[in-house]
Amino acid sequence: MVLVVGLGCLLLALALGVVALVLKPPVTAAGSLALIETSYSAAVVSKQEVGASPSWLRSIALRLSPAGVAVRLQRRLDLAGNPPSWTTDRVLAAKGLGLFLGAGLAALLTFRSPGWLVLGLAAGAVSGFFLPDLLLVNAGQKRQEKIRRALPDALDMLTVCVEAGLGFDASLAQVARNTTGPLAQECARVLQEMQIGKSRSEALRSLTERTTVAELRAFVSALAQAGELGVPIASVLREQAREMRIRRRQRAEEQAQKVPVKILFPLIVCLFPAMFVVIIGPGAISIARVLMHL
């Protein structure tokens, strides 16, 4: 009973520690639009005002990490939307905390066997150390997938607004105001960067550095080339929107083609054994009775 209670306390402490150091509050498009009139430096200052993490945990994580870990973490934070409560220092502190909590949990589970104790300490420490990285990568992948799914509809709205007579900046503001999700936040940030003095091409190219969506990168590249060559932006938007709809349909068809393969393994593992028991079971019982009688 004591071991079970101790194990539960350690699991709860690990979960609360990671949640307190890593998880972010939800960021809405309205909040992003409120930042359009402010500078990005003000956002960075407010980000730095979040409660500081223990420096000794960060130093331990830095010593155990390869060179350039801060740059890679910042890149992952950009892909995850650069949320206010996630900073490189806090992620490093979470890695250090996970190191000790994982090792402690493994020691509690394997303290009776000295041989397994060393292996458990190593496995628990490594698992706890890389848990914040996994959470960060997972958040970035989910956000990029949301951007990919919202891009065709956002381009349709952008095309309609431009063809209705609005300028590109005003159309982008309409997209940011009337849609939700990470893409609306990115549009709001592009407008914000243009407000503080960046050119349109520079703000759009900065957007490509914060995403891994190939379709969005191609769209930004087409807009930049259209601006340099003097091509009407409405025709470029119309062609890009049509291409995005085609790609969305192709992705849906690709996912549909994967369904039979994905269903095969659950059928083999779950359905076929039950069918064998029902179909072959009576015959096997009859054969066993005949053989035993003989």
Side-chain angles (χ1 to χ4, degrees), residues 36-241:
I36 295 178
E37 300 298 332
T38 62
S39 64
Y40 180 61
S41 60
V44 174
V45 170
S46 63
K47 185 177 178 178
Q48 292 176 350
E49 291 176 356
V50 181
S53 303
S55 58
W56 61 276
L57 289 175
R58 297 197 303 270
S59 62
I60 291 175
L62 283 173
R63 291 179 182 178
L64 296 176
S65 301
V69 63
V71 177
R72 288 192 294 273
L73 286 178
Q74 186 58 50
R75 167 65 176 168
R76 293 173 182 173
L77 287 171
D78 291 338
L79 295 179
N82 228 3
S85 61
W86 289 25
T87 61
T88 54
D89 290 340
R90 290 175 69 90
V91 174
L92 288 172
K95 289 168 68 69
L97 179 62
L99 175 70
F100 289 105
L101 290 179
L105 179 60
L108 180 63
L109 295 175
T110 60
F111 72 96
R112 292 185 178 181
S113 176
W116 286 102
L117 179 61
V118 177
L119 183 60
L121 285 174
V126 171
S127 301
F129 186 76
F130 287 105
L131 178 61
D133 290 329
L134 294 177
L135 294 176
L136 188 57
V137 170
N138 185 43
Q141 290 176 350
K142 288 182 178 179
R143 187 173 188 272
Q144 299 306 310
E145 183 62 27
K146 290 180 180 179
I147 291 176
R148 181 180 289 107
R149 292 182 178 180
L151 185 58
D153 294 333
L155 283 184
D156 288 336
M157 183 181 296
L158 190 63
T159 303
V160 171
C161 292
V162 170
E163 290 182 345
L166 291 178
F168 179 79
D169 297 350
S171 302
L172 197 63
Q174 290 294 327
V175 173
R177 187 173 293 108
N178 295 312
T179 58
T180 58
L183 186 58
Q185 298 166 14
E186 291 296 340
C187 293
R189 179 166 175 175
V190 169
L191 290 171
Q192 174 194 350
E193 291 180 351
M194 289 191 289
Q195 287 281 338
I196 64 176
K198 277 189 176 183
S199 64
R200 181 189 299 173
S201 60
E202 290 177 348
L204 290 174
R205 293 187 187 278
S206 298
L207 172 61
T208 61
E209 297 176 358
R210 301 190 299 270
T211 182
T212 57
V213 180
E215 293 86 349
L216 184 56
R217 288 173 173 266
F219 168 68
V220 171
S221 178
L223 284 182
Q225 292 179 2
E228 294 173 357
L229 299 176
V231 179
I233 193 171
S235 60
V236 175
L237 289 175
R238 190 183 309 110
E239 183 63 26
Q240 289 293 318

